[in-house]
Amino acid sequence: MTKTFSSFFVFAGLLAAQSITGTVQGVIEDPSGARVPGAKVTIVERAKGYERSTGSDAAGRYTLPNLPVGDYELRVEQGGFARFVQAVRLSVNQVAEVNARLVLSGQVEINVIEAPALLEVAGLVDQRRVRELPLNGRNFSQLINLQPGVAVISSHGLLGGGPDAAGIQGSGMFVNGARGSQNNFLFDGGDANDPVVPGGTGASSTAAFTGGAPGINAVSVDAIEEFRVITSGASAEFGRSSGAVINVITKSGTNEWHGSLLHFLRNRALNARNTFEAAKPGFTQNNFGGTLGGRIRQDRTFFFASYEGFRQRQAVTVPNVIPSPNTIAAVKQQNALLGAIFEGYYAAPAVRGAVFNERPVEQILLSQQPVLGTVQLPRGNGIDQNAWLGKVDQTTWRDGRLTGRYQLFEGVGLNGSVSGTGVPGSNVGYRNRSQNVVLNHTQILGARQLNEFRAVFQRNSPRTTIEGTPEAVLAAGRLRTTGPFAGQPFGDPNTANGLPTIAPGFGITPIGYDTTAPNQRGVNTYQVSNTFTRVAGGHTIKGGFELRRIQENSVFSFRLR
């Protein structure tokens, strides 16, 4: 299935710059308060040396749009006046109002800007908050829940009560009453949404990005510069959906070299023992990684890279109710095929240890009541995850900027991590591979106009993995005597388990697995956009287009159900 969406928009006014940048604007006055035309306004990014210049118009106004987030120094120069210098911290989607009142020659005025009010209702989570606030599992999206209007869907339902969250599609965050599936996640300005499964499940790229799936985020928290949560009043350039806009910006390299290393270890040493457990269950979790950023060429070319790994092994036991050997023999007398399946599944070497109050086969047939026993079986429960990110920034001709960023996330859930009873042939795991590529180019076209082009590609490839059914169970299919598959063993070309789920009743553990499978998807999102910006007096006029193509390739085999 393929879907295509495109939009064209033109709007005017004093708006925030393109989705991954900010704007600095203001007026220039002399000591008497009169406007100063023709002043030279220069802004310099301190970490990279990137520089942009413009001039004030006849009314003393200036605008510097589409500036990357970061720390800047704003300079204003005009003949007969001292140079004006002011520090500016610019955040994503911010319109910073910096007005300059010049003084006579021989003096230098230095100010520190205060964050201006924004037009939309939004909350900024800067690098300091991301780095210093406690995050369970190093999941940065937990900070979204601190914004006004955000309601959390936990494993116990809305705000810890109500229906189970597993049955609610969405990212786990309801903003101002909108469903979680209506949130718009942007990654360096590019699409980071799963168009098929926008929910917080292990099969969703949205969940991998936000940490809704078990384990780590698809992007390391140490690679995040900042992000803004717009809960209401987002401008038209965002589009797509009516919920919140979560715009995440990754770090870039600078002229100075920076790096970090991390390793967190958790095990059962400090865990408490359950009342009904003879010993503490096994548990080991390792979270490790690092970052590195710096310059390739002074003031021109920069790189940043991050890696984070996650390994978890947890012992889980599952109680299984199984029929006794005489009950299986009774079933075989009534239905040879079903009895052979019972024997291959419930009497396998791995399913032993139950104690039965056994009765003769004849009594079981006469009473129509099986003899049952309970056995505790170990179930695999482990997760291996890796998250890579690489980014290069280049200053190009005439103060243009070219940025390329690649992100890769791979997750493996061992068989049993999704579902399973511990009986061989019942355990289900998963594999997920998510990629996101962004190419962004901003070109200055004179003092009052510029163009920004962005291309994005995202691919999400999740699939379930199925534990193979015991050969004795598959071979039981040869007992079929009629139909097109008479005399053939059970089997399916798409999975290692050729049996449907069989529920015998009487509380007996079902045969097979309870997850619809095979379930594998390959969803591609292609996004191309271009925005032209022109400053005309006190107005910022922007026009552009966006083309988004969604390609879904999915396989669901309902033959097994």
Side-chain angles (χ1 to χ4, degrees):
M1 177 176 63
T2 301
K3 304 175 183 178
T4 302
F5 170 78
S6 63
S7 64
F8 180 83
F9 50 87
V10 178
F11 48 96
L14 295 176
L15 300 177
Q18 188 69 4
S19 55
I20 63 172
T21 57
T23 294
V24 177
Q25 62 184 25
V27 296
I28 302 172
E29 301 174 338
D30 64 16
S32 67
R35 301 293 177 90
V36 178
K40 182 182 179 181
V41 182
T42 304
I43 194 164
V44 180
E45 188 177 6
R46 292 176 172 177
K48 301 185 182 71
Y50 175 71
E51 183 175 312
R52 284 259 301 273
S53 297
T54 188
S56 58
D57 61 15
R61 294 183 296 255
Y62 75 92
T63 301
L64 291 163
N66 290 52
L67 293 169
V69 299
D71 293 308
Y72 289 86
E73 184 177 271
L74 181 74
R75 305 167 185 167
V76 180
E77 298 173 289
Q78 178 64 305
F81 296 96
R83 187 176 66 171
F84 176 91
V85 180
Q86 185 160 325
V88 181
R89 170 62 188 176
L90 192 61
S91 301
V92 61
N93 304 131
Q94 182 185 14
V95 179
E97 192 78 22
V98 183
N99 299 320
R101 174 160 288 195
L102 304 182
V103 297
L104 297 177
S105 296
Q107 303 179 42
V108 176
E109 181 179 340
I110 301 177
N111 299 323
V112 178
I113 188 173
E114 295 182 359
L118 301 179
L119 298 177
E120 72 269 342
V121 180
L124 175 69
V125 181
D126 58 21
Q127 184 181 8
R128 180 170 175 266
R129 290 183 176 90
V130 172
R131 182 180 63 250
E132 297 183 0
L133 288 178
L135 298 173
N136 184 18
R138 291 173 51 80
N139 181 359
F140 72 85
S141 69
Q142 294 171 6
L143 300 176
I144 300 173
N145 304 331
L146 302 180
Q147 306 305 316
V150 179
V152 184
I153 303 297
S154 71
S155 59
H156 302 291
L158 181 62
L159 299 178
D164 187 352
I168 304 175
Q169 275 205 350
S171 61
M173 291 162 284
F174 283 33
V175 181
N176 293 333
R179 294 185 63 180
S181 57
Q182 292 300 307
N183 294 331
N184 184 13
F185 290 93
L186 301 177
F187 190 18
D188 287 325
D191 194 318
N193 303 283
D194 192 319
V196 181
V197 185
T201 66
S204 167
S205 59
T206 304
F209 181 65
T210 63
I216 59 176
N217 298 87
V219 53
S220 173
V221 67
D222 292 333
I224 295 175
E225 177 71 24
E226 64 182 35
F227 64 92
R228 184 176 296 277
V229 183
I230 304 175
T231 58
S232 179
S235 61
E237 61 185 320
F238 292 103
R240 183 186 179 273
S241 52
S242 60
V245 177
I246 297 93
N247 195 6
V248 178
I249 306 300
T250 56
K251 292 180 180 179
S252 295
T254 66
N255 282 321
E256 296 183 358
W257 291 80
H258 295 279
S260 64
L261 291 173
L262 68 97
H263 183 237
F264 298 97
L265 169 65
R266 289 180 59 190
N267 56 34
R268 63 179 181 177
L270 299 178
N271 290 354
R273 179 179 60 84
N274 187 291
T275 304
F276 302 100
E277 293 174 333
K280 295 178 182 179
F283 178 80
T284 303
Q285 177 178 297
N286 287 276
N287 187 190
F288 50 90
T291 65
L292 180 64
R295 67 180 183 274
I296 299 175
R297 183 182 175 191
Q298 181 80 20
D299 293 340
R300 301 288 294 179
T301 310
F302 311 91
F303 80 95
F304 179 83
S306 74
Y307 167 76
E308 186 164 350
F310 183 85
R311 305 289 186 270
Q312 184 187 87
R313 296 295 183 270
Q314 185 173 10
V316 177
T317 57
V318 181
N320 286 264
V321 178
I322 61 174
S324 68
N326 283 358
T327 299
I328 295 175
V331 173
K332 292 182 70 174
Q333 288 190 23
Q334 295 181 313
N335 186 313
L337 174 57
L338 185 59
I341 294 174
F342 271 44
E343 187 173 41
Y345 195 78
Y346 295 117
V351 192
R352 290 180 179 174
V355 177
F356 304 100
N357 187 14
E358 192 65 281
R359 288 182 290 145
V361 174
E362 293 75 13
Q363 289 186 15
I364 294 174
L365 289 172
L366 184 63
S367 66
Q368 295 293 302
Q369 291 293 322
V371 175
L372 306 177
T374 302
V375 60
Q376 296 279 348
L377 298 178
R379 187 188 75 189
N381 190 13
I383 300 173
D384 294 342
Q385 293 176 330
N386 299 288
W388 290 272
L389 182 140
K391 186 177 183 180
V392 176
D393 296 280
Q394 171 71 44
T395 300
T396 60
W397 175 72
R398 293 184 61 182
D399 294 328
R401 291 177 66 97
L402 179 65
T403 298
R405 193 263 301 141
Y406 174 73
Q407 171 264 330
L408 171 64
F409 174 78
E410 292 182 321
V412 176
L414 304 183
N415 287 337
S417 61
V418 174
S419 66
T421 63
V423 178
S426 71
N427 303 308
V428 180
Y430 71 90
R431 289 182 178 271
N432 188 14
R433 182 181 174 91
S434 178
Q435 303 174 80
N436 188 290
V437 183
V438 172
L439 180 66
N440 192 87
H441 181 248
T442 302
Q443 183 61 56
I444 308 301
L445 303 173
R448 300 188 180 278
Q449 56 193 19
L450 56 83
N451 190 80
E452 183 171 14
F453 171 81
R454 181 179 298 116
V456 181
F457 171 73
Q458 177 178 256
R459 178 173 176 80
N460 186 39
S461 306
R463 65 184 179 92
T464 52
T465 58
I466 309 298
E467 183 180 45
T469 300
E471 288 297 326
V473 178
L474 298 178
R478 299 184 185 277
L479 297 178
R480 291 176 291 186
T481 58
T482 60
F485 301 105
Q488 299 181 26
F490 289 117
D492 185 277
N494 294 316
T495 69
N497 188 333
L499 285 177
T501 300
I502 301 175
F506 299 99
I508 299 175
T509 298
I511 294 174
Y513 49 87
D514 60 3
T515 302
T516 299
N519 175 354
Q520 60 185 55
R521 297 190 291 117
V523 183
N524 299 322
T525 300
Y526 305 88
Q527 180 185 6
V528 177
S529 63
N530 193 85
T531 303
F532 178 79
T533 304
R534 178 176 175 79
V535 179
H539 300 281
T540 300
I541 304 172
K542 302 177 69 175
F545 72 88
E546 177 185 293
L547 176 66
R548 189 176 306 182
R549 176 181 173 85
I550 298 171
Q551 183 182 52
E552 179 193 357
N553 303 296
S554 301
V555 174
F556 288 89
S557 179
F558 291 99
R559 293 179 297 164
L560 308 184
R561 301 276 69 86

